[in-house]
């Protein structure tokens, strides 16, 4: 047994050494620099770093599914849905969406709280949802311990999910937008809302916006668009890590009211544009 372990170690050591890159001395093509003095001598050298212009996005979750079938089934209306901590559905706090007109820093877009619900920030990258209690059945309904209907438990509700979007720009200024263009002929999601939270300013208000089909939104306020992105990540390494790509926590909410059964779809395109080099 010991011989087998020793042999495995001996195999791994040269493999690790073989994978280590080597660097040979650089030789110049132009005139040499030389100097001579009695007590000292100096020569000059210029060091250059040349990087290509680059703008990039990385999205790990290409399909974000709000699957509410767990709210149905044989135990309805006493379902005990388990979304693995990745989705929460809550009743509204108001009968209608709460809207606020924002200023120029937010591109004069309208901040929306779907049915008055909202979210607060916890430890990055987690959030908590403010609503009128969790929804545990679809169609929505709650019964008290006596089997009586809980008032308001048949109302509309809102579901929340999040994901990480990573962006990279080595320019001086950038802009992150999202456009919605649903497939023609497909059953569309009626009420979709979205918000972006850069890791370096996690907890700051950036606006929650309704995104109807055919619309485009700016996801990050103007005062947070200074680049390169790597310079922003170092402002909060606990959230962002020491890297050139900047992590954003994107929050997506869907209001469920008079929706058709089956699969409804929204097709989103995220675009990062470097606006100043």
């Amino acid at each position: 047994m010991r011989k087998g372990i020793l042999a495995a170690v001996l195999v791994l050591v040269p493999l690790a050494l073989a994978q280590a890159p080597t660097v040979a001395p650089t030789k110049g093509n132009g005139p040499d620099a030389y100097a001579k003095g009695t007590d000292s001598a100096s020569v000059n050298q210029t060091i250059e770093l040349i990087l290509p212009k680059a703008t990039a996005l990385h999205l790990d979750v290409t399909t974000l599914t709000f699957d509410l079938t767990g709210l149905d089934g044989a135990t309805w209306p006493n379902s005990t849905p388990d979304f693995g901590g990745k989705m929460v559905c809550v009743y509204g706090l108001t009968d209608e969406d709460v809207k606020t007109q924002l200023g120029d820093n937010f591109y004069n877009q309208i901040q929306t709280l779907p049915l008055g619900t909202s979210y607060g920030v916890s430890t990055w990258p987690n959030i908590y949802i403010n609503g009128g209690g969790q929804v545990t059945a679809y169609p929505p309904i709650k019964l008290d311990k006596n089997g009586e209907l809980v008032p308001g438990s048949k109302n509309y509700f809102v579901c929340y999910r999040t994901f990480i979007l990573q962006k990279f720009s080595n320019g001086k200024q950038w802009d992150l937008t999202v456009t919605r263009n649903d497939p023609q002929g497909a059953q569309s999601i009626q009420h979709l809302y979205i918000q972006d939270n850069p890791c370096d300013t996690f907890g700051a208000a950036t606006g929650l916006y309704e995104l109807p089909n055919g619309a485009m939104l700016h996801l990050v306020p103007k005062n947070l668009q200074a680049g390169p992105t790597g310079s922003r990540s170092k402002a909060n390494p606990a959230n962002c890590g020491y890297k050139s790509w900047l992590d954003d926590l994107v929050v997506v909410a869907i209001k469920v009211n008079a929706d058709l059964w089956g699969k409804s779809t929204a097709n989103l395109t995220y675009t990062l544009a470097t606006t100043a080099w």
Side-chain angles (χ1 to χ4, degrees), residues 157-193:
F157 60 92
V158 183
C159 297
Y160 284 83
R161 295 202 74 156
T162 69
F163 63 90
I164 298 293
L165 177 69
Q166 293 183 318
K167 59 181 184 283
F168 174 90
S169 171
N170 57 7
K172 297 178 181 178
Q173 198 82 17
W174 47 264
D175 183 20
L176 179 64
T177 60
V178 61
T179 303
R180 178 177 172 182
N181 288 293
D182 296 351
Q184 190 171 5
Q187 183 171 298
S188 292
I189 295 174
Q190 293 191 47
H191 301 286
L192 178 71
Y193 311 81

Side-chain angles (χ1 to χ4, degrees), residues 71-187:
L71 300 176
D72 192 14
T75 60
W76 184 93
N78 301 310
S79 305
T80 54
D82 181 11
F83 300 124
K86 306 298 184 183
M87 183 172 72
V88 172
C89 296
V90 294
Y91 289 102
L93 295 171
T94 59
D95 293 333
E96 301 289 341
D97 292 354
V98 178
K99 299 184 178 183
T100 304
Q101 177 67 58
L102 301 179
D104 178 70
N105 188 46
F106 297 90
Y107 294 90
N108 297 308
Q109 297 175 149
I110 296 176
Q111 176 178 280
T112 303
L113 304 182
L115 298 180
T117 66
S118 63
Y119 68 90
V121 297
S122 184
T123 303
W124 170 269
N126 301 309
I127 62 172
Y128 59 88
I129 308 303
N130 302 305
Q134 290 195 43
V135 178
T136 56
Y138 184 83
I141 188 174
K142 281 184 181 293
L143 303 176
D144 63 20
K145 61 181 180 180
N146 297 318
E148 294 289 332
L149 176 69
V150 175
S153 64
K154 291 182 178 180
N155 293 356
Y156 300 153
F157 60 92
V158 183
C159 297
Y160 284 83
R161 295 202 74 156
T162 69
F163 63 90
I164 298 293
L165 177 69
Q166 293 183 318
K167 59 181 184 283
F168 174 90
S169 171
N170 57 7
K172 297 178 181 178
Q173 198 82 17
W174 47 264
D175 183 20
L176 179 64
T177 60
V178 61
T179 303
R180 178 177 172 182
N181 288 293
D182 296 351
Q184 190 171 5
Q187 183 171 298

Side-chain angles (χ1 to χ4, degrees), residues 37 196 240:
D196 181 277
C240 303

Side-chain angles (χ1 to χ4, degrees), residues 15 18 28 38 74 92 114 143 181 190 206 219-220 222 244 257 263 268:
L15 180 61
T38 302
L143 303 176
N181 288 293
Q190 293 191 47
T206 57
L219 288 177
V220 180
K222 294 179 180 179
S244 300
N257 51 17
K263 182 186 294 185
L268 308 188

